Amino acid sequence: MKAYTKHESIAALMNRSNVDTDQIIPKQFLKKVERSGFGVHLFHDWRYNEDTSDNLDFELNKPAFKGSKILVVGDNFGCGSSREHAPWAIEDYGFNTIISTSYADIFYNNCFKNGILPIVATKAQLDALMAEIEANEGVQFTIDLENQDVITPAGNGFKFEIDPFRKENLSKGLDDIGLTLKHEEKISQYEDKHKTLYPWLWA
Amino acid sequence: MKKTMYEKIWDSHFVHEESGQAPLLYVDRHLMHEVTSPQAFEGLRNSNRKVRNVHSILATMDHCVPTKNRDLPIADPIAKKQIETMAENCEENGLNLYDMKSPDNGVIHIVVPEHGFVHPGMVVVCGDSHTATHGAFGALAFGIGTSEVEHVMATQTLPQKKSKTMIIRVDGELSDACTAKDIALAIIGKTGTAGGTGYVFEFAGDAVKSLSMEGRMTLCNMAIEAGARAGMVAPDEKTYEFLKGKEFAPSEEYWEQAVAHWGSMASDEGAEFDAELVLDAAEISPQVTWGTSPEQVVAVNDVVPSPESFESEIQQQACEGALNYMGLTAGTKMTDIKIDYVFVGSCTNGRIEDFRAAANVAKGTQVAEGVTAIAVPGSYHVKEQAEEEGLDKIFTEAGWEWREPGCSMCLAMNGDELKDKERCASTSNRNFEGRQGKGGRTHLVSPAMAAAAAAAGHFVDISK
């Protein structure tokens, strides 16, 4: 996993709520057995016309948002299916930051496993960011994970909250499994206890 | 201190907490299907790690499998590769797999209970959001991403943040026309699809206790549609009766000991929850969704709502967008909405009880002109049982198709799908845009409601 570092990037606006993972990556693209290459299918049904040309009405197809790393979206982003193909597609497309008021639980967890920072803003903070993008499409925001800061040219930035463990892993690009396996002995001890308490599960 | 069932399961599965890190929770059961596992196995291989406890895993193939012409090779080469990869991964790691040819094959959340693989008090995970189903047994069961699938395979644990708890009490008695599906939809109509975010639900009350195990599975299955991490029901005699004698249930030798443990896992009388929601079962009518989110739901005797009827601007916009996508006009009676397709099946409503309920309504009717109706059993065992009871004949005589088991049109990955603008009465769990096929319009209902719609060609108030 790539380490997450401070960056300044175009912020793309998608003013939609309850965007579900079926929209982020429709099911016809879930059959691959690899992790890579999902970016071209991100938001497929909204993004492309019937004849596979770009749907120019779709927000992310605006030239001003090209090369954006920051996705600013409405409430409850990533609801529905647990498919990690959703963050894989988002990351592969080029986003490493999402800003919304709320995320579906599984999606939120999945982001951190893929180097994506999902920032939780208040309604007022999000509204201000959205207004700033609308007034100045192509505007660049700075995301500083170390200091937990969103910085914008018009001064609509704010400090965000993040779990310290997740922050550490994200900023260093650490593998969770490796960290857990440091506690292998504790897991074995637990399993010994488990075997005594619930012998029918080990019979 | 008085504890909730969730807290008891949490405490009994706590392995370790390193300062500044999320606590590690032990995982008893790990369920798998072909869509969300291949990249996890690849990760394991790339890092030279092994599956820690092969006996904790049960795998099936369900999302991509065809529901007809099962003897022919899968036509879609990418789906075929995914199925083959699943078989290779299970073989390589010595995992228990119910492959496409197995008599035990079916939808993961249907086959797991059939074999008694999940017990009360367990922590259960699967790379699938509808893992919540198994909360019906008084287990903490939740969906995880593929990276977490890999994590659980390698370590048998997951770093977890503790959830908040919400008790949802459904008091009173449900009318004959209503089922667990209607309770689930009515709850989501109240909470919204994000109302449960950060919570684990415990369903309680007389109407929940009265549900069969199948009904409890339907109810817990839909907890995720309210945004909850999991849903659960306290174990009782029905739970034990259901598990007794099943392949992975405790043997005679350990049965008493296991039941004593299970009984101790229920929430203590007077335990405190972070939130509470109370519904009166008698006030629940058969439900139908009208929009593109499960929270966009009304009683069948109601009308399609107008954007102005919602308070927030976001809900108004969502309503407008949904009406547009669904091709509906505000004020239309739900019973005047004509349908093209009917799907009975899925991990929500693909159990024997669901086919009995649908067949009971379908019996002696004919599928309305222009309507296609398919019944897709959740597993080969459900199929067998239904055929033994003659339900397949009832369906085929009424003009339905009786299919082989699989996820089928719940998410339309296997080729069973709606065409643009086709409208479906579906017993599945999600009415998202494009879920059942690009441009397809999904209305979520119970099996009896679906069967009534199949015969009439439009929704019917079955309580009348």
Side-chain angles (χ1 to χ4, degrees), chain A residues 12-20 23-24 43 45-48 55-62 71-79 98-102 126 130 134, chain B residues 292 314-315 317-318 321-322 324-325 433:
Chain A
L13 172 61
M14 232 174 98
N15 193 357
R16 306 184 191 223
S17 298
N18 294 320
V19 173
D20 57 74
Q23 291 310 326
I24 297 172
F43 299 119
D45 289 0
W46 289 339
R47 186 168 151 198
Y48 300 110
N55 171 13
L56 298 179
D57 292 335
F58 178 57
E59 298 93 309
L60 297 188
N61 284 334
K62 287 184 180 177
L71 179 62
V72 179
V73 288
D75 308 336
N76 195 27
F77 187 72
C79 59
I98 310 173
I99 307 178
S100 173
T101 54
S102 58
L126 186 72
M130 286 185 168
E134 269 172 2
Chain B
T292 53
I314 288 169
Q315 281 179 312
Q317 282 169 1
N324 189 29
Y325 178 86
E433 280 186 32

Side-chain angles (χ1 to χ4, degrees), chain A residues 27 84 105 184 190-191 194, chain B residues 12 26 52 146-147 229 434:
Chain A
K27 76 267 165 183
E84 198 163 319
D105 193 26
E184 209 280 328
Y190 177 88
E191 275 177 343
H194 199 275
Chain B
S12 63
Y26 193 76
R52 186 175 175 94
T146 299
S147 296
R229 184 142 192 78

